[in-house]
Amino acid sequence: MLAKAEERKPRKGGEKKRRHPGDNGQGGEKKRRGGEEGEAGQGDGGRKRLDALSVGYFRRVGERLGEGFEDDEEREMFVENVLTEVKGKASLVAMDQTGSITLQRLLPLSSPDQVGEVLTELGGESGSEFKAVSCDRCGGHVVESAIRQVSRWMEKKPSATTEEDEESAGVLETQVLSLSQVVRDNTADFIKHTHGSHVVRTLLHVLAGCLGPPRTESRPGAKERNVAPQLTDFEIPTSFWYELKNLTETLMDNVNLSVTDAVASTVFQTMLTVCHRKRPKLCKQLLKSIMEYLTSRSAAPGVSPLLVFLKDQASSHLIETIIQLSHKSLLRNLYKNHLKGQLVNLALHPIANFPVQRLTAASAKYKMFLTLFDELVQGVEAILAAGHMGVIVQMAESCAESEEKQDDMMQCLLHAFHCAEPGSRHTSCLPLFMSLLTYEVYYHSDTAEGSIQPQVPLSSICYHGSRLVQTLARFKERSLLLSSLRTLTPADLLTLASDPSGSHVLQALITTSSDKGRGKILKRLEGQYVQMACSRLGSRVLEAVWNSASVSQRQSIAQELVPSESQLRSDQFARHVWAKFALSHFIHRRAHWQEIQSGESKKRKLFSDILE
């Protein structure tokens, strides 16, 4: 059942190049159908691969797994039968695309003994085979999936664990330690390899006792892309505690790769992150060691080597992680001895501005933020001109968190957007902040025209502008923003409520206002509620407003919505508003409706008093 792959022409660097199915010198007439012709695209020259029958079998296994099982006995029997087929050719199955996907789905259903047997075969007698499998684009996923199963068996309560389970888990534990030994023996090869580095990162998580969601081939959605994965902690055997220390020591012997290789850098970032969570003292030592290495490199006389590393794609990510995890003294040393006087220049750099954002965020809870802010505020206009809005937004967020320098930040922004003088321009600050345009550009005006405020429909609301205003809404003094909001026309407010970025601004400003301030804004919104309710984004803003509104304000909103009953109940968004606001109840049993709303209002006020 095994066939040999065709010879492939070697790529530069020794790796074999994958050919397109049509690159056979015959105009691409022959096409590979799924995996029935074998996974030739994955193989090195002369490497054995699964034949068509085996590939078809594992594809059918994958389809059967998708159907589910009636009971545990049926599932166990199925898993055992499939693993019997895998036995003797585990590496070939793991390094085949179809086989790899099937094994990744099968291992979470397997017992620790079965997972241990698969790992034993993948590693060979001495474990030396782990390297080839782990550095394969398909095999690496299988190794990751296998060692992740440790968490399932360590989570079991001691009382629920039998002697047989302990023995089975011991096999799995031994194989994880064997894999770690292979990684330590071939550290540089692993951490520089695109696929091998992922195995090392998962191994670090397992040895530390915390796991995130499994890695998938699908690309994350926009909302998930920048969100740190949630980690789940689990108990680990004592041997893992010592092995993690050994593995980190070996990795630190190769710390030079952390700043020269982008792939290796991610391994060091993972090492620091898991140690910060599970081994704080070890993390502190690692942070200190890495910083000593980075600052000891040679650079121009009088110039810190960190200034070079901060501008490098690979090492800047590592420094970001170091800043996020550092304690007070390390942060203070970093700023005082290496970055002081250089922050504006770094904030203007296309790569270095990101570590500056992390430093601004990390310093918010310390007094050093005051000095750091005073330095950065000098270059706000230049940073805006460079388009590095993340730095500006982070400055505002740190001001909100520390409750320091808020007035300075607001005045700086007014000057940067040219609406500080004359005072009549203050009321135009909200549209300017949201669009990130200066007064002259937004209003198409070269000079001030006395106290006359030109009328320009609200437009050009952008993501970072929205983030900035939402942050400013958390300041103690936000009267300028609210005054500017009240000058917007009802049509502009509707535009704001229906805009993907603007809707968050309106929601933040209304929900954080006092009852009196909210009432003034709602007065301006009268006549727009029906259109808001029929808008995908506007309906969400309306619901948020409703949740923070007083009973009298809710009654005013309901009275405007009720006459448009047929329109609202037939609209895909507004029908939810109709149901949540209980408007049918409002029409037919108003006294009871008011009683319910009054009870909710009192309950909400009680909880807010407790939280405060």
Side-chain angles (χ1 to χ4, degrees):
M1 290 178 69
L2 300 176
K4 289 226 173 181
E6 294 177 8
E7 291 288 334
R8 299 297 184 192
K9 290 182 181 179
R11 194 193 298 186
K12 288 181 182 178
E15 292 182 15
K16 306 299 184 277
K17 185 176 179 181
R18 293 179 61 212
R19 284 196 203 168
H20 190 276
D23 292 345
N24 52 14
Q26 300 174 17
E29 293 175 6
K30 293 183 180 180
K31 290 187 178 180
R32 188 176 62 193
R33 297 179 182 176
E36 295 298 325
E37 299 298 324
E39 305 298 322
Q42 302 167 24
D44 292 336
R47 192 185 76 184
K48 289 183 178 181
R49 60 188 173 94
L50 285 182
D51 65 305
L53 286 175
S54 296
V55 172
Y57 169 76
F58 285 108
R59 182 177 291 113
R60 291 192 296 276
V61 169
E63 291 168 359
R64 178 65 185 88
L65 286 170
E67 296 171 8
F69 301 95
E70 290 184 4
D71 53 45
D72 291 346
E73 187 179 351
E74 182 186 358
R75 186 196 70 227
E76 288 169 7
M77 190 180 300
F78 180 82
V79 170
E80 189 175 346
N81 289 337
V82 177
L83 289 177
T84 302
E85 289 295 319
V86 172
K87 199 166 187 178
K89 53 182 177 183
S91 294
L92 291 175
V93 177
M95 291 191 277
D96 174 87
Q97 186 173 355
T98 304
S100 171
I101 293 170
T102 302
L103 270 181
Q104 289 173 60
R105 296 175 63 188
L106 195 71
L107 289 172
L109 306 177
S110 308
S111 69
D113 194 31
Q114 290 170 326
V115 177
E117 284 180 11
V118 172
L119 276 174
T120 301
E121 189 175 337
L122 290 176
E125 287 185 15
S126 62
S128 57
E129 300 299 318
F130 273 131
K131 182 182 174 184
V133 181
S134 299
C135 294
D136 181 82
R137 71 185 184 93
C138 298
H141 286 280
V142 174
V143 176
E144 284 185 69
S145 180
I147 62 176
R148 286 177 62 88
Q149 304 314 312
V150 172
S151 64
R152 286 196 296 132
W153 301 101
M154 298 309 296
E155 281 171 359
K156 282 189 175 184
K157 293 181 180 178
S159 57
T161 306
T162 65
E163 191 175 325
E164 188 179 338
D165 282 340
E166 287 180 5
E167 188 178 334
S168 299
V171 176
L172 185 52
E173 177 186 341
T174 302
Q175 290 306 310
V176 172
L177 295 174
S178 175
L179 172 63
S180 184
Q181 180 63 54
V182 173
V183 170
R184 287 196 280 131
D185 292 340
N186 304 273
T187 303
D189 294 336
F190 267 92
I191 67 177
K192 289 196 296 182
H193 196 280
T194 304
H195 308 300
S197 63
H198 281 284
V199 173
V200 180
R201 291 164 69 181
T202 301
L203 179 63
L204 283 164
H205 276 103
V206 170
L207 293 176
C210 61
L211 276 178
R215 191 160 60 101
T216 61
E217 290 297 328
S218 58
R219 299 183 69 179
K223 287 185 178 179
E224 301 170 357
R225 198 171 297 134
N226 296 319
V227 178
Q230 291 294 314
L231 297 179
T232 306
D233 296 325
F234 61 91
E235 291 294 323
I236 57 170
T238 310
S239 59
F240 283 13
W241 197 92
Y242 291 106
E243 185 59 30
L244 179 62
K245 183 78 164 63
N246 295 335
L247 182 56
T248 56
E249 286 174 356
T250 309
L251 286 171
M252 288 306 297
D253 291 339
N254 294 269
V255 69
N256 60 304
L257 295 175
S258 70
V259 293
T260 58
D261 190 280
V263 175
S265 176
T266 61
V267 175
F268 283 86
Q269 292 167 52
T270 300
M271 175 185 73
L272 292 174
T273 304
V274 298
C275 288
H276 178 74
R277 182 182 179 91
K278 302 294 289 187
R279 303 276 290 277
K281 287 185 179 179
L282 177 59
C283 179
K284 200 170 180 179
Q285 293 169 9
L286 294 171
L287 288 169
K288 185 180 178 183
S289 299
I290 294 175
M291 281 302 296
E292 284 175 355
Y293 172 80
L294 293 175
T295 54
S296 67
R297 299 302 89 191
S298 59
V303 177
S304 169
L306 275 186
L307 299 179
V308 178
F309 291 132
L310 284 164
K311 297 173 183 177
D312 177 74
Q313 189 76 53
S315 54
S316 67
H317 285 293
L318 178 63
I319 295 174
E320 282 186 59
T321 303
I322 290 171
I323 290 171
Q324 287 174 304
L325 306 179
S326 288
H327 45 282
K328 182 179 177 181
S329 59
L330 192 59
L331 280 176
R332 191 169 56 229
N333 174 62
L334 175 67
Y335 173 64
K336 185 178 178 182
N337 297 329
H338 303 283
L339 305 183
K340 195 170 185 178
Q342 300 292 331
L343 288 183
V344 174
N345 290 333
L346 292 171
L348 295 174
H349 192 273
I351 294 173
N353 79 88
F354 293 101
V356 170
Q357 292 178 44
R358 301 293 90 76
L359 180 63
T360 309
S363 65
K365 49 186 179 285
Y366 306 122
K367 286 185 180 179
M368 64 175 282
F369 170 68
L370 303 179
T371 313
L372 188 143
F373 177 87
D374 288 339
E375 183 178 336
L376 274 176
V377 81
Q378 304 299 320
V380 164
E381 285 203 55
I383 296 168
L384 283 168
H388 297 162
M389 276 306 301
V391 178
I392 306 297
V393 172
Q394 187 55 65
M395 286 175 66
E397 286 184 350
S398 293
C399 287
E401 184 183 340
S402 64
E403 298 186 351
E404 300 280 359
K405 299 288 185 178
Q406 294 183 359
D407 291 340
D408 292 346
M409 185 71 199
M410 183 61 82
Q411 287 302 315
C412 175
L413 289 171
L414 291 174
H415 281 95
F417 287 93
H418 303 174
C419 57
E421 297 293 339
S424 58
R425 291 190 177 187
H426 286 181
T427 55
S428 62
C429 68
L430 187 59
L432 301 183
F433 292 167
M434 289 192 296
S435 61
L436 298 180
L437 298 173
T438 61
Y439 184 92
E440 293 78 14
V441 174
Y442 188 88
Y443 290 107
H444 311 292
S445 167
D446 292 330
T447 57
E449 300 178 9
S451 59
I452 301 172
Q453 177 74 36
Q455 289 296 318
V456 175
L458 187 64
S459 61
S460 306
I461 303 169
C462 66
Y463 167 77
H464 278 111
S466 170
R467 284 272 316 278
L468 177 62
V469 177
Q470 289 176 66
T471 305
L472 296 176
R474 292 161 48 199
F475 281 17
K476 294 176 186 174
E477 179 55 57
R478 50 181 181 270
S479 56
L480 278 178
L481 294 177
L482 295 173
S483 298
S484 183
L485 181 67
R486 288 194 286 269
T487 62
L488 296 180
T489 63
D492 284 343
L493 289 171
L494 181 61
T495 300
L496 191 60
S498 307
D499 184 87
S501 297
S503 58
H504 293 284
V505 170
L506 185 59
Q507 181 176 327
L509 289 172
I510 292 178
T511 54
T512 56
S513 296
S514 62
D515 282 348
K516 186 177 179 182
R518 190 182 303 113
K520 290 179 181 178
I521 300 170
L522 294 181
K523 193 77 176 170
R524 303 281 295 176
L525 276 169
E526 287 179 0
Q528 309 295 325
Y529 293 137
V530 174
Q531 287 174 277
M532 283 179 67
C534 294
S535 161
R536 178 173 67 90
L537 298 163
S539 60
R540 287 182 169 239
V541 175
L542 192 56
E543 286 180 30
V545 169
W546 180 273
N547 291 334
S548 63
S550 64
V551 177
S552 60
Q553 289 166 349
R554 287 184 176 188
Q555 192 164 350
S556 299
I557 295 170
Q559 283 174 335
E560 184 178 321
L561 293 173
V562 160
S564 305
E565 178 179 358
S566 59
Q567 180 185 349
L568 296 176
R569 298 187 78 160
S570 61
D571 184 85
Q572 61 174 327
F573 304 116
R575 61 193 177 92
H576 298 292
V577 171
W578 183 273
K580 287 181 180 178
F581 293 5
L583 296 181
S584 296
H585 216 48
F586 178 79
I587 297 171
H588 303 295
R589 301 180 64 188
R590 187 166 302 187
H592 189 219
W593 181 89
Q594 275 190 303
E595 189 180 324
I596 293 171
Q597 300 301 323
S598 299
E600 285 184 6
S601 180
K602 287 176 183 175
K603 192 186 295 182
R604 191 171 63 252
K605 188 175 185 305
L606 177 64
F607 277 114
S608 66
D609 289 344
I610 291 172
L611 292 172
E612 286 173 5

